[in-house]
Amino acid sequence: MAGYTSHSHQEIDNTKYEFTEEELKQVQYHISKYPDKQSAVMPVLWMAQEKYGWLSDGAIQLVADSIGLSFAHVYGVATFYTMYFKRKMGKYLLEICTCLTCGICGGPEVLEYTKKKIQANEEGISPDGLFWVREAECLGACDTAPVMQFNNGHYVHNLNNDTIDKLIDEVRKGRLPEFVSIPLRDQSIIDD
Amino acid sequence: MQDWRNYKKVLLPDIPNLNQIEVYEANGGYAKWKEVITGTGTHTFIKREEKVLEDGTKQVIETKEQVPYSPKVVVDIVKSANVRGRGGAGFNAGLKWSFMPPKKEGVPRYLAVNGDESEPGSFKDRRLMEFNPHLVIEGILFACYAMEMDAAYIYIRGEYVDYLNFLEKAVFQAYQKGYVGKNILGSGRTIDIYVHRGAGAYICGEETSLMESLEGKRAYPRSKPPFPAQRGLWGCPTTINNVDTMAQSALVMRYGAEWYASIGAKTHPGPFLYGISGHINRPGIYEYPTGMLITDLIYKVAGGMKNGKKLKAVIPGGVSVPILRADMIEGVRMDTDSLAAAGLDIENGKYGFPLGNRKLGSMMGTGGMVIMNEDTDMVKLVRRISQFFHHESCGQCTPCREGTGWLEKLIIKIDEGRGEMKDLDLLFSLTENMEGRTVCMLADASAWPVRATIIRFREEFEAKVKNSVYAVS
């Protein structure tokens, strides 16, 4: 990757950033959805992040080149949204909500417990680099507070210290959480 | 108000696998859309005229007329139902649709559907996407037909990736059945629906910011005017509606405007998704008519307070709306008018929330109700809320970028016992200098909870601060 300076990362990055034929077709599909190719930047950033785990300068340059935009524009977009990772962190991100409802229903305590459990450093990363814990803003699952989003994907509902213990053990064994559908409430009325 | 106890759910009915198109069709789904798009159905338009008879008495004469579903008729139906936008602002959706300029050949028009639900305390759209996505899609189709649009973009927050998949699958099924896409059911009309995934920014729920994000930019809100109906997505006429509003519009088309207007509160009608969370026995989404008593929702619907604790406060519609004290909710109903007057009769309205030149109880917002018990520390609550807004301010306008940070810093100072009495006045002065001085409403939304909580729980703030003035002795 010539022609850019490294903004966020001091080490020399030897990764070869490239989309396969199949992925390039996917990029073209994203471009075709909108009247202007610039709109494809968010979906293609998602593709790059899923492929490389995070958005290094090289990955951002790849997104820019494959759509035909400037590095600066794509970099600007990538740095605006919190779900795009601009740094290489732990392998699995545990985002624990401590916002409004989760905040009053034990979210902050679960967050503290999780940090201790994985022996997180100041940045929230475990010594083995497997886990990365971060405080989340409202995830929109207040009925099952406190809630966690696992690695930008599935939600883990109704957290407490036991569920955290179980989750960490399972992930260490290579079993990742699955999607859990929370059934609708039955609307039986309670009268005194 | 009709008897809510016998209310039959329509937004989230208890039908297994309703998110599968065959099940949805078997329960009356897309039937109206077929009638409308193919021009086979007609709408019974009832005209009421008042006539004064010779003897002076008045008589209402009803005339019925069968009219085809032209785009204008669809707009009129939704307008007359008074579907109030479910995104929080509560504006009449049909009226919003009627703001679109006349169709010009060669100028595309777009619908942006707001599924960025990020308001803390709100989680209803997520349930719709999972359990009844086709109702949302059908509503989108009616909206696109009524406003003669070419495509709809559904913007969903990045965190909802699982729920986005439900919606995407439903869109795919609707394409396969020919309800969406090119030459829909042989009508010659083309409407495309695309799903767009956000990436974690609260501000994208603001309509102009959502458009910027869809255009592939940093999501800085735009100044209005020009309004989206004039210059929206890619400079073309655009309307932005909430996911829930789309579902409501589909119901209006299916069951009629009169049916819709007869449900719930007169000035704010329709089925409503109450999202109840917090210190409550059965948190969840409950579908009932608008205008429910807050006390019924807490004790009869959601099973009462957890562990038998006492109720302290209720946030009725997402974090931005003014918080209500427990002594303010007696007899208050979940509709705009009743909430606006909530608690104003207490001690000459000392808990009134000043907004413009009037005093307010609270607002409907998104209907995400957060219930808090007696152990809740209000200063800590506001501290966390301010942290949220500081984190989510997009940084475009100075009063918001700096103001949200100062709000948070001051409240941290008070919470940690380093604050002084004059800091409370400083907080008020800060909020006044933020509100109405920015491009979008985020500054107002961040200032309101601070101001409302200090007005209504002043004693808790005072207990945490030191005196600024000391008696000389």
Side-chain angles (χ1 to χ4, degrees), chain A residues 33-34 76 138 140 181 185 187, chain B residues 126 130 153 196 218 283 287:
Chain A
K33 289 193 294 188
Y34 309 95
C138 187
S181 175
R185 279 274 176 206
Q187 294 206 167
Chain B
R126 191 185 111 228
E130 181 176 352
Y153 291 89
H196 184 97
R218 290 167 77 88
E287 183 189 333

Side-chain angles (χ1 to χ4, degrees), chain A residues 29 32-36 38-43 46 50 73 75-84 95 97-101 103-105 135-144 149 152-155 157 179-192, chain B residues 4-5 9 110 120-123 126-127 130-131 153 155 157-163 166 194-201 203-204 213-220 234 277-279 282-284 286-288 300 303 319 370-372 381 384-385 387-388 391-392 394:
Chain A
Y29 165 69
S32 74
K33 289 193 294 188
Y34 309 95
D36 181 14
Q38 185 179 268
S39 294
V41 61
M42 286 182 75
W46 275 120
E50 267 151 38
H73 180 83
Y75 185 81
V77 174
T79 48
F80 187 86
Y81 300 92
T82 49
M83 291 180 82
Y84 294 133
E95 274 188 304
C97 179
T98 62
C99 202
L100 195 60
T101 303
I104 59 170
C105 292
E135 183 175 34
E137 299 299 345
C138 187
L139 292 170
C142 314
D143 48 345
T144 51
Q149 181 161 37
N152 274 355
H154 301 315
Y155 282 8
H157 303 271
F179 171 72
V180 179
S181 175
I182 303 293
L184 292 172
R185 279 274 176 206
D186 85 282
Q187 294 206 167
S188 50
I189 295 157
I190 299 152
D191 280 310
D192 303 324
Chain B
W4 61 272
R5 287 163 183 277
K9 298 205 283 175
Y110 300 107
S122 318
F123 48 103
R126 191 185 111 228
R127 311 301 269 165
E130 181 176 352
F131 291 99
Y153 291 89
Y155 190 102
R157 65 180 297 191
E159 288 86 346
Y160 280 4
V161 58
D162 283 328
Y163 308 97
F166 281 108
Y194 303 104
V195 181
H196 184 97
R197 183 182 179 194
I203 192 65
C204 292
S213 186
L214 262 175
E215 290 182 8
K217 304 179 200 157
R218 290 167 77 88
Y220 290 140
W234 302 288
S277 67
H279 300 134
R282 301 198 310 167
Y286 295 91
E287 183 189 333
Y288 280 110
K300 292 181 179 158
V319 73
V370 184
I371 316 293
M372 281 161 273
L381 183 83
R384 187 61 185 83
I385 293 172
Q387 183 193 326
F388 169 79
H391 181 255
E392 297 297 346
C394 78

Side-chain angles (χ1 to χ4, degrees), chain B residues 283-300:
Chain B
I285 289 284
Y286 295 91
E287 183 189 333
Y288 280 110
T290 54
M292 291 274 288
L293 281 171
I294 294 181
T295 44
D296 278 353
L297 285 167
I298 295 175
Y299 297 105
K300 292 181 179 158

Side-chain angles (χ1 to χ4, degrees), chain B residues 167-186:
Chain B
L167 197 58
E168 240 176 6
K169 264 180 216 150
V171 170
F172 179 72
Q173 290 174 343
Y175 263 102
Q176 279 190 319
K177 289 265 180 177
Y179 297 137
V180 190
K182 285 199 170 48
N183 190 16
I184 299 169
L185 304 174

